[in-house]
Every structure is written in structure tokens, then in C-alpha cells.
Amino acid sequence: MGKLFGTDGIRGIANKELSVDLAMEVAQAAGTVIRERIGHKPRFVIGRDTRLSSSMLESAMAAGLCSVGCDVQLLGVAPTPAVAYLVRELGADAGIMLTASHNPFQDNGIKIISSTGFKLSDEEEEEIEAIIIDNERVPPKAPPEQIGQVTTAFGEVKRYIDYLVSLGEGSFSGLKVALDCANGCASVTAPQIFARLGAECHVLHAKPNGINVNQDCGSTHMEGLQAYVKEHGCDLGLAFDGDADRCLAVDKNGELVDGDVLMAIFALDMKKRGKLKNNGLVVTVMSNLGLFHFAKEQGIATPTTKVGDRYVLKTIMQDGYNLGGEQSGHIIFFDDMTTGDGQLSAIHLMSILAREKKPLDALRRVMTTYPQVLKNVQADDELKASLWELDDLFKELDDRLGERGRVLVRPSGTEPLVRVMVEGADYAQIEEIAGQIAAAIEAKRG
């Protein structure tokens, strides 16, 4: 078995790579590590998304935690940021979220959250991995009188809903919004949140059945929302992913407004109101060149990290920023939340629309988006590790694009893929270059 934790927790096909046995082992190891850190009987909260496998894994993890002497509160279906928020609100010692985010229903994942609402540190993850992979020690089973108990706390998600509603600025009355809940966690929260804030809500894909999460809907499949917004005359559309930590938008013309454009809108608004700390926006290497040009024109710093919200968050915390995120729509408002929150992003966007009295198609013009070609190439760990052998080719193609373009090739931290991104002013040129790179990687695979 290789390394368990990727850039966003543990991921795998449910009942295969991510089995009940593994889930129980992870729970026992995590419970042991947390108990040793705090010196008393821990209490965990567990949230889950709407996948068929999530309740199975929830039961396995609850049993594993109880077996090593941890108490468990089950939150039921809850967005990832809700679990991060409720860990602190409920005074729990740690939290677990069962989700594979934007992945198809066959996949699932385990995210472990500390008592402060942040993901576990690298050191804590390594300690858990050492117990499971290296068999450094066996988690001690609790004696009969110290076995943990499981209780339900399904109503506690309302605390999170109330908190997000409190962050809305002004009334959203008069705004007609289409909400694509991805048949995921937003199904149980978004309709309540935006109706309470006064918006006229058209709710789409909010009938999860266990296998339809992210299926032709949500932030990874925007076409349906784009068509709906135009057909029904909505002011905007908002799409979340399976665990509701991402948000992408659609303007009234059905045009996509991705995470980069949203961050430009947020950064400019916060700068105007004196709320952008250190006058900076933390982004990743995947952000569009247009965002960097926008920031330079506006005098906004753009500290840049590797892909992954944990790296964005680390820079935000270390260097005193309060806004950052990814093109995918995972955006962190650090003054409000310890993690990315799609519904929080949507609230901030609609607050700007209400305050500025401008439509989204006008606000989006703050930046010009450069054409990008994205390709995913199937790759196992061995192929990912050998990508350096193609560095000369990648550099040659990158040099061909000059200052107004670039090549970025990176292994996915959550899927068996190499992601290829080529950006530049000439779409035909970048399409050709992306094809060359993908072909070169596939040739190595044989």
C-alpha cells in the first residue's frame, strides 16, 4: 500500500480501494492519534455527502472510533465547510467528512478535520499513515467500560445555515437565481439559505438518490445550468459540487464565470472597501494569466502556490492574507471560514450584486480571460514519477508561447491523471501544443 493521504484527504473507489476495512483502520488510527494528543477521551463529529457508499463508510468509521474509546456525533448529510464549522461550534476534538467532492458516485473519500476547523497537519496525517501502512503499532482497543458511544446530531447543520445567512449583506430580494445543487450536500442547505436571504430561487438537481451526485450537473457540468438561466430569465446561476465547497457561476446570458473571475470580483470589491488584507489575493499556478494581469493593473499582489486548497490556506495563514482560491471555484474567505465554502462564495457574490446594483455580466468584465486548453491523460504512479523525462519538451513548447502564454503539466493529487494546461492568445496554437504534450505522455505509457 502506498501513501494514503493526497492533497485532499484519502480517495478511492468505494468498497474497493476505499473499503470498510480501510475506513475502520483509518478511524482507529485517527482516534488513537487524537486521543494521545489531547490526553482525554475524544469526541468526533462525522458528516457525509449523498453517495450510496457514504452511510456504509460512516458506520465503519463510527465503529472504528468507538472501538478505540472515542465518542461520535453523526451530523448526517452536511457540506464539508459545515463540518469544519461545527467541529468548533460543538467543541468536538476532531471531525470527519466522507466525500469525494466533485468525483463520480463510485468514488468516495475521507477528510479529517482538527478541533480548530482546519485539515490535519502533514505530521498528523503521517502519524496515522505510519500506524496503518507501516504497522508501527496497533491502536489499543478500549476496555468495555471505555468504549465510545454514537449519538445523532442531525439538527446541528441548522447552526451552519444560520451562520451563513448572517453573513449576507442586505436583501437579495429582486434577484432571481438558479441553484444547481449537484444532487449533493447543497441539496439540504442551499435552498434554505438563499430563500431566507430573499432571493427568488430556482432549485435544480437537489434530489440525490445515491448514484446521481455530480452526474451531468454541478460545477463540473455547467451546460444544463447555462441553458436554464437563459431560458428562464434568471439574473444568475450558481453551481456547487458534491460536498459544496466549490462554486461556479453563470451570468444572465448563460456565460460561465469561473473561480478566477469570481476571485477578481471579490478582490476588487474587498480592496475598494478596505477589507483586502495585505492587498493580496492568493492563487495557484493554474489560475488564468488574465487574473495575474488584472491584479497587476489593480495593484493587488498575487502570491502563487501549488494546486490544492491546503497550499492556498497555508499561504493565507502564514502571510496574513484573507482571500484566496482556485480556478475550480474553491475559494477561501478566511475572515469567515477555515476552508473553501461554495455557498459562502455565492453569498458574497450576491451581496456584491445587491450592493453595486450591477448585473454579473457587467461585473465579470473586471478581467479578460485568456484561452486555455485542458487535457487529462490517464497515468499511474509510475508514469507520474517519470514525467521529468519530458521536461525538455515541455520547456521548448513553453518558450514557443513567449510571455503571453505558458505550459503547465502536473500529476493529479486525487485521481490517476496527469493534467495538461496550455494557455495563450492563439487558441489553435495552444490546442496543437496541448495535443503534442498529451501524445508524448501517452507514448510513455505505451
Side-chain angles (χ1 to χ4, degrees):
M1 182 185 294
K3 182 175 167 65
L4 280 176
F5 288 91
T7 55
D8 200 17
I10 299 169
R11 291 271 178 93
I13 298 174
N15 231 19
K16 192 175 178 182
E17 293 101 346
L18 186 49
S19 65
V20 168
D21 291 339
L22 177 58
M24 189 171 290
E25 284 186 80
V26 172
Q28 290 172 330
T32 299
V33 168
I34 297 299
R35 187 184 65 230
E36 291 175 353
R37 290 286 173 95
I38 64 176
H40 60 79
K41 186 176 189 176
R43 179 162 54 89
F44 280 68
V45 295
I46 301 179
R48 59 180 172 87
D49 70 11
T50 57
R51 289 160 214 274
L52 196 61
S53 59
S54 289
S55 58
M56 172 187 77
L57 296 173
E58 174 190 67
S59 298
M61 296 209 76
L65 288 167
C66 288
S67 74
V68 294
C70 303
D71 288 331
V72 177
Q73 284 182 288
L74 302 180
L75 300 174
V77 174
T80 292
V83 177
Y85 175 76
L86 290 170
V87 165
R88 293 172 293 151
E89 283 294 296
L90 297 175
D93 299 295
I96 291 171
M97 179 65 191
L98 299 168
T99 182
S101 190
H102 58 284
N103 287 20
F105 89 94
Q106 297 94 331
D107 296 342
N108 216 324
I110 301 170
K111 299 180 182 181
I112 306 178
I113 299 166
S114 72
S115 61
T116 57
F118 299 103
K119 292 176 184 177
L120 290 188
S121 67
D122 291 342
E123 293 74 23
E124 288 168 317
E125 289 184 352
E126 288 166 4
E127 195 173 349
I128 291 169
E129 285 186 350
I131 293 174
I132 299 168
I133 297 175
D134 301 330
N135 296 314
E136 284 192 357
R137 53 195 166 121
V138 177
K141 300 298 194 297
E145 69 276 10
Q146 293 179 20
I147 291 172
Q149 290 187 309
V150 179
T151 57
T152 58
F154 300 150
E156 296 296 349
V157 176
K158 185 178 182 298
R159 289 200 199 194
Y160 166 75
I161 293 172
D162 291 343
Y163 174 63
L164 288 194
V165 170
S166 75
L167 297 175
E169 298 178 17
S171 171
F172 296 171
S173 177
L175 286 173
K176 184 177 179 181
V177 59
L179 302 170
D180 184 343
C181 298
N183 291 314
C185 296
S187 302
V188 301
T189 52
Q192 294 183 60
I193 291 167
F194 294 95
R196 284 177 57 181
L197 285 167
E200 178 187 332
C201 298
H202 292 231
V203 181
L204 313 177
H205 307 296
K207 296 180 180 180
N209 62 12
I211 62 174
N212 61 359
V213 61
N214 300 316
Q215 186 177 40
D216 300 322
C217 60
S219 62
T220 52
H221 300 279
M222 298 292 290
E223 301 83 5
L225 180 62
Q226 289 173 295
Y228 187 94
V229 167
K230 287 180 67 177
E231 182 180 347
H232 292 84
C234 297
D235 295 300
L236 74 161
L238 299 165
F240 308 104
D241 65 337
D243 65 337
D245 65 353
R246 298 184 184 192
C247 174
L248 297 181
V250 172
D251 70 19
K252 67 181 181 182
N253 301 313
E255 295 295 323
L256 173 67
V257 182
D258 68 14
D260 284 337
V261 179
L262 290 174
M263 287 190 289
I265 293 170
F266 296 143
L268 188 58
D269 174 74
M270 291 171 69
K271 182 180 180 180
K272 286 179 179 177
R273 296 187 295 133
K275 295 189 174 184
L276 188 64
K277 289 183 180 176
N278 279 346
N279 198 35
L281 168 65
V282 182
V283 298
T284 76
V285 292
M286 285 292 287
S287 276
N288 193 276
L289 276 175
L291 181 59
F292 292 101
H293 291 311
F294 151 82
K296 186 175 181 180
E297 291 166 2
Q298 298 295 332
I300 296 172
T302 50
T304 306
T305 76
K306 295 189 293 185
V307 173
D309 64 285
R310 70 186 302 134
Y311 305 114
V312 173
L313 181 60
K314 182 178 180 180
T315 299
I316 285 174
M317 295 175 66
Q318 284 184 346
D319 299 335
Y321 298 105
N322 63 344
L323 179 66
E326 300 181 278
Q327 188 184 70
S328 62
H330 194 285
I331 300 173
I332 300 170
F333 289 87
F334 193 61
D335 291 338
D336 302 325
M337 192 66 69
T338 58
T339 186
D341 188 330
Q343 293 169 116
L344 176 60
S345 296
I347 288 169
H348 279 297
L349 179 63
M350 292 186 69
S351 295
I352 294 171
L353 294 176
R355 186 168 54 246
E356 295 286 332
K357 307 297 183 186
K358 292 180 181 178
L360 182 55
D361 62 310
L363 291 178
R364 65 171 300 162
R365 295 175 198 149
V366 297
M367 69 166 270
T368 300
T369 301
Y370 278 59
Q372 285 183 334
V373 173
L374 303 172
K375 291 185 181 293
N376 292 325
V377 183
Q378 289 290 324
D380 57 19
D381 289 341
E382 184 178 353
L383 179 53
K384 289 180 181 180
S386 68
L387 282 179
W388 64 270
E389 296 172 5
L390 296 173
D391 282 352
D392 288 345
L393 173 65
F394 299 157
K395 185 178 186 308
E396 175 190 336
L397 296 173
D398 186 73
D399 290 344
R400 189 189 303 176
L401 290 167
E403 293 184 359
R404 291 289 177 172
R406 59 177 175 147
V407 166
L408 181 65
V409 180
R410 67 175 189 89
S412 170
T414 59
E415 297 177 84
L417 299 171
V418 171
R419 304 194 189 279
V420 177
M421 188 271 282
V422 183
E423 193 171 28
D426 185 334
Y427 186 84
Q429 182 187 35
I430 63 174
E431 175 73 24
E432 177 190 355
I433 290 174
Q436 284 183 254
I437 293 171
I441 297 171
E442 287 170 347
K444 282 187 64 63
R445 187 177 64 216

